[in-house]
Amino acid sequence: MAGLYASLRPQPPPSAPANHSFAAKLLLLLTLLPLSLSLLAFVLQWRGGGVDDPISRWSPEESHKFPGMDSSPLATVGHSYHSSDCSLLGHRHSASFPYYKDWKLNSESDLKPKICITTSTSGGLDQILPWMFYHKVIGVTTFFLFVEGKAASPEVSKVLESIPGVKVIYRTKELEEQQAKSRIWNETWLSSFFYKPCNYELFVKQSLNMEMAIVMAKDAGVEWIIHLDTDELLHPGGAREYSLRQLLLDVPSKVDMVIFPNYESSVERDDIKDPFTEVSMFKKNYDHLPKDTYFGMYKEATRGNPNYFLTYGNGKSAARIQEHLRPNGAHRWHNYMKTPNEIKLEEAAVLHYTYSKFSDLTSRRDRCGCKPTKEDVKRCFMLEFDRSAFIIASTATEEEMLNWYREHVVWTDKTLNMKLLRKGILTRIYAPMVIIQGLKESGVFGSIITSAQKSLARDTFLASVKRVGNYSERAVASQSLPSRKIGRNHQASQVVTARKTLQMTATEAPLVAQLPAVPPLSPPGKQESDASRT
């Protein structure tokens, strides 16, 4: 029986030892394979093997390139440069603002819409280059720079002319003679600003330059035009991405003009050197605040100054390039044949860095020859704070000016600042600061300056210097013809033809009333709120 039961017990299959051996080998293989791959990777890396690591797409050199630089001379030059004008433009550091090497950000971009900015400036490279390339980053392709003073000097102008998409227009005697034939002198909308000094003269000059920029924008195939000063940055808030191009792309086709309400810089120190990278606090515009908040906090927000903003409060505008477009002062555009359909943007703004440096007090004083009296400054300045600042800068000592600046401009009361931030009167905006600081650290500004010096052949460079030298001689000769006198000479000589490109024929008489030019205006005051309640 025992033998019978033994024969009935289940016997292990004959393949069991073979399966056990296979499992052991598989386990050994799975153990050795990762170790082998790790060893192979180490050997390849040590020997400089051709592993296509995505990080290697950015070499140390390429990490400093600006978009669109791969095919330009800027891609091959060093970043060392010598210019006292560019001490604030930054030097080369480790890359903190890397650009993908296939990006293209130049005037030949086929992205729509094409946007241009026009400005009248006498600033240096330390102000113009960060301003310009910030706007390139957010989508502007074309710049029309009407230059004089420092901006027209050879060391500045030849750098500006070397940048793709930039057109430099010098204020020569020929330019003034051409502008003397403008139809503007025969019209009434700007006439109240003629023949006055300082800010009024600048306002007329800007309007004449804007008129010429419209023609150049048409020739360049541009779709939108904006007039900005070089102390202003556009902030495309509300767009799906931080892009002015995207913002304007979303504007309905029936809209002719969009208004950017302005935010005013609120500096927290009196030693600001580079406002674009040191200022992050701004006072919001009346149009972007609830009325109860604006008027309820008006006294605390003005801090004893004449108005809610130190300077203007009516923003800037962008206009579609179309037939019969004309400037309507430095802040607006208009049309000879129709009333433009305009909208006011609810989140986007123009950031105005006004009086953000203590030196702005004396620089404005030095540009104007008016007497520092309450009566005479009214002839020169449109806004009350500008008048007060001019008188202080002309009559006070350095210490008195600094104390006045701290009291009226600098926001040193942190408790008040926090209160107004919580109420929404003040706001923090960091994007421009980050972009411009990144541009500086990338070395792009040094590359541009070096490229302008190295890429030009010797004969081209000498010709450029000679041309600018001739400009200087012509500019001296034209000093007897300031813009506020252009119209007088024009009338005296009975010149009645307008510039050909903006000529008005009998069939092109304006179909809409010629509204007066929009000057820089202060925001609504407390008295306006009180009057509306009575």
Side-chain angles (χ1 to χ4, degrees):
M1 293 294 291
L4 176 62
Y5 288 124
S7 64
L8 294 176
R9 291 174 185 168
Q11 299 295 322
S15 61
N19 289 340
H20 179 73
S21 175
F22 175 76
K25 292 179 179 179
L26 181 62
L27 182 61
L28 179 62
L29 178 64
L30 293 176
T31 303
L32 293 177
L33 183 61
L35 293 175
S36 301
L37 292 175
S38 300
L39 181 62
L40 177 62
F42 174 77
V43 172
L44 289 175
Q45 186 178 20
W46 178 66
R47 296 184 60 188
V51 179
D52 186 17
D53 184 355
I55 301 299
S56 65
R57 293 176 185 174
W58 292 276
S59 67
E61 285 299 317
E62 288 177 334
S63 66
H64 294 285
K65 292 180 184 177
F66 193 73
M69 288 175 56
D70 295 273
S71 59
S72 74
L74 305 184
T76 59
V77 298
H79 296 284
S80 61
Y81 56 92
H82 304 280
S83 175
S84 59
D85 183 51
C86 305
S87 59
L88 297 177
L89 293 180
H91 298 275
R92 181 172 174 173
H93 301 287
S94 59
S96 64
F97 196 42
Y99 296 98
Y100 189 66
K101 63 182 180 181
D102 290 333
W103 280 15
K104 299 295 179 184
L105 194 62
N106 53 43
S107 60
E108 304 302 323
S109 172
D110 57 356
L111 297 178
K112 300 293 183 179
K114 291 188 69 175
I115 307 165
C116 80
I117 288 179
T118 180
T119 190
S120 303
T121 181
S122 59
L125 292 176
D126 57 332
Q127 181 175 6
I128 297 175
L129 288 183
W131 170 85
M132 179 187 298
F133 275 86
Y134 166 81
H135 287 107
K136 277 181 172 284
V137 167
I138 65 173
V140 179
T141 58
T142 307
F143 296 83
F144 301 123
L145 308 181
F146 291 82
V147 299
E148 53 186 302
K150 189 175 184 179
S153 64
E155 59 270 18
V156 175
S157 61
K158 70 172 179 281
V159 173
L160 299 177
E161 289 179 336
S162 71
I163 302 172
V166 175
K167 173 67 175 177
V168 178
I169 304 97
Y170 298 90
R171 187 149 201 89
T172 62
K173 183 177 180 180
E174 289 79 6
L175 175 69
E176 292 188 333
E177 289 175 347
Q178 187 179 16
Q179 290 185 340
K181 302 174 184 178
S182 168
R183 61 187 290 178
I184 287 177
W185 298 103
N186 292 327
E187 298 169 351
T188 59
W189 57 270
L190 193 63
S191 59
S192 62
F193 299 88
F194 294 162
Y195 320 131
K196 296 180 181 179
C198 297
N199 279 13
Y200 292 90
E201 179 180 356
L202 174 62
F203 194 74
V204 173
K205 189 183 297 182
Q206 288 173 327
S207 299
L208 292 168
N209 293 344
M210 290 166 68
E211 182 188 47
M212 297 188 72
I214 292 172
V215 179
M216 291 186 284
K218 288 181 180 178
D219 293 340
V222 169
E223 297 165 67
W224 287 90
I225 186 170
I226 306 168
H227 174 262
L228 285 182
D229 296 325
T230 54
D231 63 351
E232 298 169 331
L233 299 178
L234 289 171
H235 169 60
R240 286 178 289 172
E241 56 190 60
Y242 200 79
S243 166
L244 180 63
R245 181 184 284 124
Q246 184 63 57
L247 184 73
L248 295 179
L249 186 64
D250 293 338
V251 173
S253 58
K254 64 180 180 180
V255 173
D256 303 309
M257 186 169 69
V258 295
I259 298 173
F260 292 81
N262 62 295
Y263 290 7
E264 190 172 82
S265 61
S266 301
V267 299
E268 300 168 82
R269 308 194 323 267
D270 60 17
D271 60 348
I272 298 291
K273 301 299 182 185
D274 182 13
F276 290 161
T277 59
E278 296 182 59
V279 177
S280 64
M281 191 166 74
F282 297 86
K283 188 186 289 186
K284 295 177 71 173
N285 193 282
Y286 165 81
D287 291 318
H288 285 182
L289 290 170
K291 287 186 178 181
D292 291 344
T293 301
Y294 177 84
F295 290 113
M297 304 296 296
Y298 186 86
K299 183 177 181 180
E300 291 171 283
T302 55
R303 302 186 308 151
N305 286 317
N307 294 294
Y308 175 78
F309 279 154
L310 300 182
T311 53
Y312 74 87
N314 53 331
K316 291 293 182 74
S317 64
R320 288 189 193 272
I321 295 295
Q322 52 190 237
E323 292 300 318
H324 313 296
L325 181 67
R326 71 162 173 86
N328 198 35
H331 295 257
R332 292 291 186 273
W333 306 87
H334 202 63
N335 194 294
Y336 281 112
M337 307 303 284
K338 67 176 182 179
T339 300
N341 181 19
E342 67 179 41
I343 61 172
K344 189 170 290 184
L345 298 174
E346 297 181 354
E347 296 181 69
V350 55
L351 307 179
H352 187 201
Y353 295 77
T354 185
Y355 289 99
S356 52
K357 296 184 294 184
F358 175 63
S359 60
D360 289 343
L361 279 179
T362 53
S363 64
R364 293 175 187 240
R365 174 199 65 194
D366 297 339
R367 292 198 301 263
C368 186
C370 289
K371 298 177 182 178
T373 63
K374 290 185 177 181
E375 289 303 318
D376 203 50
V377 292
K378 292 179 181 179
R379 296 189 309 110
C380 303
F381 301 98
M382 304 178 198
L383 299 173
E384 189 61 37
F385 188 86
D386 286 332
R387 297 168 182 171
S388 300
F390 179 80
I391 292 175
I392 288 294
S394 302
T395 59
T397 64
E398 187 82 7
E399 183 179 357
E400 290 171 338
M401 278 195 294
L402 184 57
N403 290 334
W404 185 90
Y405 182 77
R406 288 170 177 165
E407 179 182 354
H408 292 271
V409 179
V410 184
W411 292 73
T412 56
D413 188 339
K414 294 184 178 180
T415 302
L416 175 62
N417 295 353
M418 185 56 64
K419 180 179 180 180
L420 295 179
L421 282 166
R422 288 171 176 166
K423 290 288 185 178
I425 297 287
L426 297 176
T427 187
R428 295 281 184 184
I429 299 176
Y430 294 100
M433 174 188 294
V434 172
I435 290 173
I436 292 177
Q437 185 61 40
L439 288 167
K440 290 185 176 185
E441 293 180 0
S442 74
V444 62
F445 302 133
S447 295
I448 292 166
I449 295 169
T450 305
S451 175
Q453 297 169 347
K454 291 186 176 181
S455 64
L456 294 176
R458 179 178 176 82
D459 54 343
T460 306
F461 175 76
L462 293 176
S464 174
V465 173
K466 181 179 180 181
R467 175 185 55 73
V468 179
N470 291 339
Y471 153 72
S472 300
E473 296 175 3
R474 293 194 300 268
V476 171
S478 69
Q479 288 179 356
S480 60
L481 190 64
S483 61
R484 67 176 180 271
K485 296 181 180 179
I486 294 176
R488 290 176 176 172
N489 291 346
H490 161 60
Q491 293 170 348
S493 61
Q494 298 297 311
V495 178
V496 295
T497 56
R499 284 193 304 114
K500 181 178 180 181
T501 50
L502 289 175
Q503 187 173 2
M504 180 177 68
T505 65
T507 60
E508 292 177 322
L511 297 181
V512 295
Q514 294 189 28
L515 299 177
V518 178
L521 299 174
S522 297
K526 181 69 173 176
Q527 64 276 12
E528 297 179 39
S529 173
D530 297 337
S532 64
R533 295 174 183 173
T534 58

